[in-house]
Amino acid sequence: MKSVILPAYNRNIIRAMLGLKVEETEMPIPGENDIIIKTHAAPVNPSDIAFIQGVYNIVKPIPTVPGFEASGMVVNAGKNGSHLVGNKVSCFVQDDNSGTWSEFIIANIADVIELKDEMDMDQAACFTVNPFTAYAMFDIVLQRKSTAIIQNASGGQVANFIRRMADENGIKVIDIVRKEETASMLRSKGASYVIVETDEDFEEKLQDMCTKLQPTVAFDAVGGNLGGIMFNALSEDSELVVYGGLSGKGLSDLNVMDVIFDNKIVSGFNLMDWKSDIGKDEFERISLLLQDKFIAGDYVTEIGGTTSLENIVKGLRGYIADMSKGKLLVKP
Ligand SMILES: NC(=O)c1ccc[n+]([C@@H]2O[C@H](COP(=O)([O-])OP(=O)(O)OC[C@H]3O[C@@H](n4cnc5c(N)ncnc54)[C@H](OP(=O)(O)O)[C@@H]3O)[C@@H](O)[C@H]2O)c1
């Protein structure tokens, strides 16, 4: 089978990408808890970019096959996964011997979601991570009874789902982006409170919107001083939830007095921890609920383009240049 191979990690993303090659690899043999998936599509996520740079929290022995998420059809299985053969699945795999930018994927049955027949397989490729992340984080908004939220990286797919869930619940969203064209795109889709972090009067605009809307939850995917600015703009009894570090910089410039005197907190969100905390049955319930939303067309992951395994470098360059366009799907 053909797979994309990462021969070496490199912090320089251009060099890391240029090192990628396509090679014939051994067809994996399933252990008793494994299945083999014929890949339909595998997305490129920011975590994949961090992975090939060697700066993600998963570091595998190299050479290795990148990619953590995918959709496809089960074509072979060990004895505990035989009931899945012939079924459509989404998977999220992080084991050393797995990687989704490949014609076939080996996955443990615990890392797989069985799909309803009506699920679109491109949407299914991006199903296991972002929709659940948004669902879980949005629950914090509901628990806190917040009537407004702030988020950054607002052109991204997690942010899109958060905005959709907020809309369903009558909750206002202050969206922060880093490019004017992303702001225009969001406004054209109906976002009402969009600001660009590089504008000279950015902090003033953010403060004005916060005074008006009183958000008590903020979602930070960027870090650096933007996370600090968002935290400081929140009123008392608020929470900044950090779920990504796209800037590669530590969270900075938080107002210490707010933490001490105003009952404001910073928390972190990690999907894997949430998944193990809620347990298998609750995860299954939420999975079915989210699948129904996708099937009805209420929730959609924007797809920005597709690439073959062979054109992976060109595809990655396009994704990195304009991540807000939507996910890049790797289709063997
Ligand atoms: N903690 C968890 O469990 C969890 C789960 C899922 C996702 N995540 C994280 O959530 C974040 C968003 O993921 P996604 O899949 O929604 O992303 P995505 O759809 O691929 O889009 C990324 C977005 O981030 C923006 N961006 C990239 N680098 C940025 C920077 N340095 N400063 C400001 N904005 C930047 C991009 O804007 P441009 O168009 O301007 O490039 C784009 O809008 C990632 O950090 C991801 O790792 C975390």
Side-chain angles (χ1 to χ4, degrees):
M1 65 175 189
K2 278 186 192 154
S3 306
V4 173
I5 299 290
L6 174 75
Y9 296 104
N10 197 316
R11 271 180 182 259
N12 179 313
I13 183 58
I14 303 295
R15 291 202 187 119
M17 279 176 356
L18 290 175
L20 294 172
K21 51 194 176 179
V22 178
E23 283 182 1
E24 281 293 330
T25 51
E26 288 291 315
M27 189 75 177
I29 298 163
E32 62 179 20
N33 290 319
D34 297 326
I35 56 169
I36 305 297
I37 301 164
K38 184 171 189 335
T39 313
H40 169 80
V44 176
N45 289 313
S47 53
D48 298 312
I49 302 299
F51 174 74
I52 65 173
Q53 291 178 287
V55 297
Y56 192 55
N57 71 328
I58 302 288
V59 179
K60 301 182 188 180
I62 47 168
T64 189
V65 180
F68 297 126
E69 203 181 10
S71 64
M73 178 77 79
V74 181
V75 290
N76 192 6
K79 78 169 187 265
N80 295 331
S82 55
H83 61 288
L84 291 171
V85 173
N87 287 10
K88 288 161 64 169
V89 292
S90 292
C91 68
F92 181 78
V93 289
Q94 294 196 316
D95 298 332
D96 282 353
N97 65 341
S98 66
T100 60
W101 298 356
S102 179
E103 277 184 297
F104 294 89
I105 303 161
I106 184 163
N108 188 293
I109 46 178
D111 298 330
V112 160
I113 297 176
E114 276 187 78
L115 297 172
K116 295 190 172 192
D117 278 348
E118 305 92 314
M119 267 298 273
D120 175 87
M121 291 304 274
D122 283 1
Q123 292 296 315
C126 316
F127 182 64
T128 60
V129 179
N130 285 347
F132 290 90
T133 300
Y135 180 93
M137 294 203 308
F138 194 72
D139 195 46
I140 300 169
V141 181
L142 298 176
Q143 296 303 323
R144 282 189 164 267
K145 298 188 172 37
S146 189
T147 54
I149 60 180
I150 315 174
Q151 62 176 353
N152 59 19
S154 282
Q157 298 311 307
V158 172
N160 272 347
F161 287 118
I162 294 277
R163 206 166 27 254
R164 183 79 191 94
M165 289 167 191
D167 196 38
E168 288 174 332
N169 287 276
I171 288 163
K172 304 274 190 294
V173 181
I174 300 170
D175 284 303
I176 301 172
V177 296
R178 61 174 173 174
K179 296 175 192 156
E180 188 50 53
E181 70 241 42
T182 313
S184 304
M185 182 265 288
L186 293 185
R187 287 186 193 112
S188 75
K189 289 180 173 174
S192 305
Y193 305 94
V194 189
I195 32 180
V196 184
E197 62 181 88
T198 48
D199 281 357
E200 255 179 44
D201 56 351
F202 163 67
E203 286 188 52
E204 208 177 301
K205 280 185 188 157
L206 178 62
Q207 201 53 67
D208 286 351
M209 286 181 185
C210 287
T211 304
K212 183 174 171 198
L213 302 174
Q214 294 291 307
T216 55
V217 176
F219 295 122
D220 178 21
V222 177
N225 78 331
L226 180 58
I229 290 168
M230 290 163 73
F231 179 83
N232 298 342
L234 291 167
S235 52
E236 55 188 22
D237 301 319
S238 297
E239 180 170 356
L240 175 80
V241 183
V242 182
Y243 72 103
L246 287 164
S247 67
K249 294 182 184 142
L251 202 56
S252 61
D253 298 338
L254 270 79
N255 187 337
V256 177
M257 296 302 158
D258 286 12
V259 183
I260 302 170
F261 296 113
D262 286 343
N263 194 28
K264 288 168 71 170
I265 58 169
V266 178
S267 61
F269 176 83
N270 172 26
L271 182 68
M272 293 305 119
D273 291 340
W274 172 83
K275 194 176 166 186
S276 67
D277 285 352
I278 62 166
K280 204 168 169 289
D281 290 349
E282 178 63 356
F283 183 80
E284 180 63 17
R285 184 190 71 77
I286 295 166
S287 168
L288 294 174
L289 186 148
L290 289 174
Q291 287 189 55
D292 285 343
K293 290 280 192 183
F294 276 88
I295 291 164
D298 293 338
Y299 292 175
V300 179
T301 294
E302 297 291 339
I303 307 295
T306 59
T307 179
S308 61
L309 296 176
E310 289 77 9
N311 282 324
I312 186 75
V313 178
K314 191 174 169 214
L316 286 176
R317 277 179 184 273
Y319 167 68
I320 288 167
D322 189 2
M323 291 169 134
S324 297
K325 196 170 130 199
K327 290 296 174 195
L328 172 68
L329 292 186
V330 182
K331 288 194 173 179

